[in-house]
Amino acid sequence: MHAVSSTPAWAMLAYLIAGVCFILALRGLSSPATSRKGNRYGMAGMALAVGTTLVTHMNVGIVEITIAIAIGAVIGLVTARRIAMTDMPQLVAAFHSLVGLAAVLVAAAAYLNPQAFGIADAMGEIHTVSRVEMGLGMAIGAITFSGSVIAFLKLNGNMSGAPIMLPGRHAINLATLAAILGLIAYFLTDQSGWVFWTVTGLSFAIGFLLIIPIGGADMPVVVSMLNSYSGWAAAAMGFTLQNTAMIITGALVGSSGAILSYIMCKAMNRSFISVIAGGFGAAPEASGGAAKIDRPWKRGSADDAAFLMAQAEQVIIVPGYGMAVAQAQHVLREMGDLLKKQGVRVKYAIHPVAGRMPGHMNVLLAEANVSYDEVFELEDINSEFAQTDVAFVIGANDVTNPAAKTDKSSPIYGMPVLDVEKAKTVLFVKRSMGGVGYAGVDNDVFYMDQTMMLLADAKKMVEDIVKALQH
């Protein structure tokens, strides 16, 4: 008896309702204010889809499947509860890798036992359409897995965030991609094992090759891109499994991830192809090299910063990845609350690619209970810097660099940035003057007359500012 059977009408209706829940989830997740509701819709939709699938496939080892779901649920619950919000990008990359690996395993199982999946004739020949679905699902899943592993290692600090340029990488990548597509086409006429497993091996390899040359500054695009890949892999496997819910869910994830990748690229004034080809920092000699620490700059203290902000009418806080690394979001919110008690208007300016995944800064500020009403995206707040007394930049470099607007030789030229240099005073928190951002570009804001550099660990500096404000 085949594991896959015709889907009853009530199950199709349940899958449709689940699909609507997923759409409502995406809509809810589009805003921090409705994100919790969006998550609930997503959970409800997934529970309905999984439950429906289990009920309609009662002859497929229900006990084993239930045990597997329970084990996975425990692992997921424990991991989610223990993971720090600052490590969320790594967690997302790890989840993407698991989705890709699941697609690979499903494709392998379908290839090894096509009759059980209802995709073969009496002679054991896999249907042509199923071969296309299986080949694409396997390839995309393998690319997603290996690429996500590299992204995880880069985000977690196990591998350098700098681009790793392999000699002749473009030729190697194009040749590998051409070989994968060619073998998938050949797979339509010959389902020999060597064809299938060669596609698998090459797909794992190209995933590594594509992500290794991408630098840390492009990680938001990489995360959203891998998210899209995982969705398309799931959709392809949905066709193989003849499961409507997987097709709908995969298509939604794939398309939303692709749109998000486009938004991220637009936010950096980059083309998707240029990101895949190498990422920021690919040509260090064009970025000006190391920070120009011989230029004159002014150093300030926590007391200086507290005095200036306490006297201000408006302070705009610009968080970046340095804030995330230092886990300074909670004490930063405490600083903002103290300033508000003293009559200072406090706002938070978020750049679309600040951090290591889309929405990273929004997540961290939400965790610290910063009011959604105080958080503004770049296009909504950039015009206010010129009327702002103090711009407080904490751990953000590339997204505040005016070279993006003036230096055509800079690798970040054309990327929209936050206009912090227009504020009357800029307080810039970073560890030292010797470092540059992930793009490898020095920031002229450091050396401007109105800038005061606050050199220290971000959390320690803000804690000292809070103490100064309290006194």
Side-chain angles (χ1 to χ4, degrees):
M1 181 181 293
H2 290 169
V4 179
S5 58
S6 58
T7 306
W10 70 266
M12 295 298 293
L13 178 60
Y15 286 146
L16 178 61
I17 295 173
V20 172
C21 287
F22 296 143
I23 294 172
L24 292 174
L26 289 175
R27 180 178 177 82
L29 292 171
S30 64
S31 168
T34 58
S35 59
R36 291 181 182 271
K37 184 184 295 184
N39 267 317
R40 294 191 187 101
Y41 277 123
M43 293 164 62
M46 186 56 67
L48 179 59
V50 171
T52 302
T53 300
L54 292 178
V55 171
T56 55
H57 294 71
M58 291 297 290
N59 59 327
V60 189
I62 189 66
V63 175
E64 292 88 345
I65 290 177
T66 302
I67 293 174
I69 290 176
I71 294 173
V74 171
I75 294 174
L77 181 63
V78 172
T79 303
R81 290 180 66 87
R82 289 184 176 181
I83 199 76
M85 293 300 291
T86 49
D87 294 334
M88 195 58 64
Q90 294 94 302
L91 181 64
V92 171
F95 281 165
H96 289 163
S97 72
L98 295 178
V99 175
L101 183 60
V104 171
L105 294 176
V106 170
Y111 175 75
L112 295 173
N113 192 3
Q115 285 88 354
F117 288 79
I119 59 174
D121 57 24
M123 302 297 293
E125 291 290 320
I126 301 173
H127 301 147
T128 302
V129 173
S130 296
R131 295 188 196 187
V132 175
E133 299 160 358
M134 186 186 304
L136 291 176
M138 168 65 82
I140 299 173
I143 292 171
T144 303
F145 172 75
S146 55
S148 297
V149 168
I150 295 298
F152 173 86
L153 294 175
K154 283 177 173 280
L155 290 166
N156 204 45
N158 303 110
M159 178 182 289
S160 173
I164 301 174
M165 300 301 170
L166 302 176
R169 65 187 185 281
H170 297 308
I172 294 173
N173 291 347
L174 288 174
T176 306
L177 287 172
I180 292 171
L181 295 175
L183 286 171
I184 291 176
Y186 182 69
F187 186 57
L188 303 183
T189 61
D190 181 0
Q191 67 177 58
S192 299
W194 75 267
V195 180
F196 183 81
W197 299 116
T198 301
V199 169
T200 304
L202 290 176
S203 299
F204 278 124
I206 194 64
F208 288 115
L209 294 172
L210 286 174
I211 306 302
I212 282 178
I214 299 179
D218 284 338
M219 273 301 141
V221 177
V222 171
V223 171
S224 60
M225 177 187 70
L226 292 170
N227 177 54
S228 180
Y229 287 177
S230 67
W232 296 124
M237 289 301 98
F239 282 104
T240 299
L241 296 174
Q242 301 177 29
N243 187 287
T244 305
M246 281 190 68
I247 297 171
I248 294 174
T249 306
L252 285 172
V253 173
S255 57
S256 61
I259 293 171
L260 185 58
S261 298
Y262 170 77
I263 293 173
M264 293 293 103
C265 287
K266 185 177 180 181
M268 297 188 300
N269 193 38
R270 308 267 284 170
S271 70
F272 184 77
I273 298 300
S274 70
V275 173
I276 296 301
F280 279 143
E285 66 275 8
S287 67
K292 296 182 283 292
I293 58 175
D294 57 332
R295 298 171 63 184
W297 52 277
K298 292 187 295 185
R299 182 167 189 166
S301 66
D303 289 334
D304 297 329
F307 176 79
L308 289 169
M309 287 192 287
Q311 303 301 314
E313 291 186 7
Q314 175 165 290
V315 173
I316 297 180
I317 299 172
V318 181
Y321 188 59
M323 181 198 75
V325 172
Q327 300 186 36
Q329 63 269 27
H330 293 282
V331 68
L332 185 67
R333 190 263 305 159
E334 185 179 354
M335 184 189 81
D337 290 345
L338 286 173
L339 289 172
K340 286 186 290 182
K341 287 181 180 179
Q342 299 186 29
V344 181
R345 290 193 307 275
V346 177
K347 296 182 179 182
Y348 297 80
I350 307 296
H351 193 282
V353 296
R356 289 298 166 263
M357 72 175 186
H360 193 185
M361 294 301 105
N362 302 76
V363 170
L364 294 177
L365 294 178
E367 185 209 11
N369 295 319
V370 172
S371 173
Y372 300 135
D373 297 335
E374 298 173 4
V375 181
F376 297 87
E377 299 295 331
L378 178 146
E379 61 271 14
D380 297 323
I381 201 170
N382 231 10
S383 60
E384 292 193 31
F385 281 104
Q387 291 81 43
T388 296
D389 298 296
V390 178
F392 185 85
V393 185
I394 175 169
N397 190 348
D398 299 329
V399 298
T400 63
N401 196 332
K405 298 177 288 185
T406 59
D407 185 1
K408 293 184 178 180
S409 66
S410 173
I412 63 171
Y413 178 72
M415 181 180 84
V417 293
L418 291 161
D419 297 332
V420 297
E421 77 279 4
K422 294 182 179 179
K424 295 177 183 177
T425 300
V426 180
L427 301 175
F428 215 113
V429 182
K430 66 192 302 281
R431 283 188 174 275
S432 69
M433 292 298 293
V436 291
Y438 272 90
V441 184
D442 197 29
N443 193 338
D444 286 338
V445 174
F446 301 160
Y447 314 104
M448 292 182 173
D449 292 337
Q450 75 269 34
T451 300
M452 184 177 293
M453 301 301 300
L454 306 175
L455 304 183
D457 172 79
K459 185 176 182 180
K460 179 65 169 57
M461 174 57 68
V462 180
E463 286 175 343
D464 290 343
I465 293 173
V466 167
K467 292 177 182 177
L469 288 170
Q470 290 172 336
H471 291 86

